[in-house]
């Protein structure tokens, strides 16, 4: 990019041809202004010293050894006084050696060039000037070589950084999709399960117990409205540009009272115990605990056939303990549906994922003496156990 900027997009081979013409003109001018009236073939030798320049990028060492070196040595031997004071072809040649040759070739070429300058010059001042000219071209070529290496390394680092950023972005997208899938599952599974159970009970009580039928339909409506509210919150995050996980729904432990009421409306006796001062608990831990309880109760309503369930959320030091139990058929009757599949393969797996994301763990299995079903979770409250973006 810098090369294109400096040369205005000019092809490097066109530029090298221009340099060859300039070098030939300088050499011809030196022969023309010399005190000796040189024959035509000396002019031809002077012009030929720049013959290799247009091909210096293609095969720099063979072209340099085959064209420039023999011609320049012959010119120096037969018409030394006709050499230009600053041989442009020699400067560009040493620049090419330093910039393009591998180390095993460039340093020997520098030694040979310095030796030729010292031995082929008739005066100490001339030898010193020739050495400085050759070394100057070599140093400039070495600097350009180093800059190009640095530019290549920077470009490689930028490419690797871009790949890492793309990989991290893809991983973040996958994590966000998984998080949203958990949210959608928890919201819909809980609400739809309650609505289905209530809808199935409605026809049985609509004639014999109208008041209970009204409560059944109220529960269905409440469950639907709650699901719609939570879905709007999830979809709002998806629609809002630049929205992050912190804008996603963050249910609180206090909202479990509403969940308990809806479960009671489904005909399940429900006990709920919450710790004091739930508002002071970390928001992500509260959200995870809420979703764990919600999913456990959803499985109870759908699979257990229980008549009673209890939820106990207590703070034990720096850990929040969550216990959900029921008096249903237990593991023996629900193993294939609830434990192995865990609510269609998502429910209890989601519980474990939420607990693990908080640095905690969750377990599920039979209740005391093998009766009922029990879900327990331990969620650390300390900063070391809380990870960003947990639970929704």
């Amino acid at each position: 990019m810098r090369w294109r900027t400096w040369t205005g997009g000019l092809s490097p081979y066109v530029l090298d041809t221009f340099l060859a013409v300039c070098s030939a003109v300088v050499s011809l001018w030196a022969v023309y202004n010399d005190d000796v009236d040189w024959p035509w073939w000396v002019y031809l030798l002077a012009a030929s010293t720049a013959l290799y320049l247009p091909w210096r990028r293609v095969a720099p060492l063979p072209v340099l050894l085959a064209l420039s070196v023999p011609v320049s040595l012959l010119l120096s031997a037969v018409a030394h006084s006709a050499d230009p004071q600053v041989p442009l072809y020699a400067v560009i040649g040493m620049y090419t050696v330093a910039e393009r040759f591998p180390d095993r070739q460039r340093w020997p070429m520098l030694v040979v060039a310095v030796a030729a300058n010292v031995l082929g010059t008739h005066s100490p001042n001339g030898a010193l000037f020739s050495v400085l000219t050759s070394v100057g071209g070599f140093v400039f070529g070495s600097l350009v070589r180093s800059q190009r290496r640095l530019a290549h390394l920077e470009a490689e680092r930028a490419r690797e950084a871009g790949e890492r950023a793309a990989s991290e972005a893809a991983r973040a997208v996958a994590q966000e999709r998984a998080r949203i899938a958990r949210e959608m599952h928890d919201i819909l599974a809980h609400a739809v399960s309650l609505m289905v159970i209530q809808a199935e009970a409605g026809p049985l009580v609509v004639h014999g117990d109208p008041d209970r039928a009204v409560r059944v339909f109220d529960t269905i409506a409440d469950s639907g409205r709650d699901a719609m509210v939570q879905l709007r919150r999830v979809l709002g995050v998806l629609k809002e540009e630049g929205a992050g996980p912190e804008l996603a729904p963050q249910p609180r432990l206090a909202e479990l009272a509403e969940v308990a009421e809806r479960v009671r409306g489904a005909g399940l006796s429900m006990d709920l115990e919450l710790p004091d001062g739930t508002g002071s608990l970390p928001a992500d831990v509260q959200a995870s605990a809420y979703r764990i309880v919600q999913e456990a109760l959803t499985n109870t309503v759908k699979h257990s056939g229980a008549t009673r369930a209890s939820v106990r959320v207590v703070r034990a030091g720096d850990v929040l303990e969550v216990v959900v139990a029921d008096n249903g058929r237990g593991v023996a009757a629900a193993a294939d549906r609830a434990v192995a599949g865990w609510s269609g393969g998502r429910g209890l797996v989601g519980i474990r994922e939420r607990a693990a994301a908080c640095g905690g763990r969750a377990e599920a299995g039979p209740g005391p003496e093998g009766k009922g079903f029990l879900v327990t979770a331990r969620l650390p409250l300390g900063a070391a156990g809380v990870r960003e973006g947990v639970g929704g």
Side-chain angles (χ1 to χ4, degrees), residues 142-218:
S142 299
L143 291 176
V144 173
R145 179 191 185 97
S146 299
Q147 289 298 316
R148 286 185 175 173
R149 283 183 175 178
L150 290 176
H152 176 74
L153 290 176
E154 290 176 0
E156 187 67 18
R157 291 193 190 100
R159 183 188 63 79
E160 293 176 355
E163 291 179 352
R164 286 196 300 270
S167 176
E168 291 173 359
R171 184 165 55 252
V173 169
Q175 292 174 348
E176 185 66 4
R177 290 179 63 182
R179 185 190 64 81
I180 292 174
R182 287 198 305 268
E183 292 294 334
M184 298 288 284
H185 171 272
D186 291 350
I187 293 169
L188 293 177
H190 178 74
V192 173
S193 296
L194 293 180
M195 293 168 67
V196 168
I197 291 174
Q198 292 297 309
E200 290 175 345
L204 302 177
V205 298
V206 68
H207 297 296
D209 192 348
D211 291 339
R212 184 181 174 187
V214 171
R215 292 195 299 272
V216 166
F217 291 121
D218 287 342

Side-chain angles (χ1 to χ4, degrees), residues 185 189 295 298-299 302-303 337-348:
H185 171 272
E295 181 57 35
T298 298
N299 281 304
K302 291 174 62 177
H303 303 301
R337 294 162 55 192
V339 178
W342 282 54
S343 187
R346 288 292 310 170
L348 297 183

Side-chain angles (χ1 to χ4, degrees), residues 57-249:
R57 301 173 192 268
V58 180
L61 181 59
V63 173
L64 181 65
L65 295 178
L67 295 177
S68 181
V69 172
V71 175
S72 60
L73 289 178
L74 181 59
L75 178 64
S76 178
V78 302
H80 182 74
S81 62
D83 272 340
Q85 189 71 19
V86 179
L88 190 57
Y89 63 86
V91 175
I92 298 176
M94 290 308 301
Y95 168 87
T96 303
V97 167
E99 191 261 329
R100 293 194 170 267
F101 286 19
D103 288 338
R104 66 178 181 274
Q105 295 176 356
R106 58 200 295 261
W107 294 108
M109 288 294 295
L110 176 62
V111 172
V112 170
V114 170
N117 289 330
V118 173
L119 298 176
T121 307
H122 297 167
S123 66
N125 289 338
L128 179 60
F129 186 80
S130 297
V131 169
L132 291 177
T133 301
S134 297
V135 172
F138 188 89
V139 169
F140 184 61
S142 299
L143 291 176
V144 173
R145 179 191 185 97
S146 299
Q147 289 298 316
R148 286 185 175 173
R149 283 183 175 178
L150 290 176
H152 176 74
L153 290 176
E154 290 176 0
E156 187 67 18
R157 291 193 190 100
R159 183 188 63 79
E160 293 176 355
E163 291 179 352
R164 286 196 300 270
S167 176
E168 291 173 359
R171 184 165 55 252
V173 169
Q175 292 174 348
E176 185 66 4
R177 290 179 63 182
R179 185 190 64 81
I180 292 174
R182 287 198 305 268
E183 292 294 334
M184 298 288 284
H185 171 272
D186 291 350
I187 293 169
L188 293 177
H190 178 74
V192 173
S193 296
L194 293 180
M195 293 168 67
V196 168
I197 291 174
Q198 292 297 309
E200 290 175 345
L204 302 177
V205 298
V206 68
H207 297 296
D209 192 348
D211 291 339
R212 184 181 174 187
V214 171
R215 292 195 299 272
V216 166
F217 291 121
D218 287 342
T219 301
I220 293 174
D222 291 342
S223 299
R225 280 191 293 267
D226 180 70
M228 290 298 295
V229 169
Q230 296 191 59
L231 285 175
R232 287 193 190 100
R233 294 164 70 184
V234 173
L235 296 176
V237 173
L238 297 179
K239 292 179 180 179
E240 185 172 346
E241 183 177 357
E246 68 277 1
L247 299 180

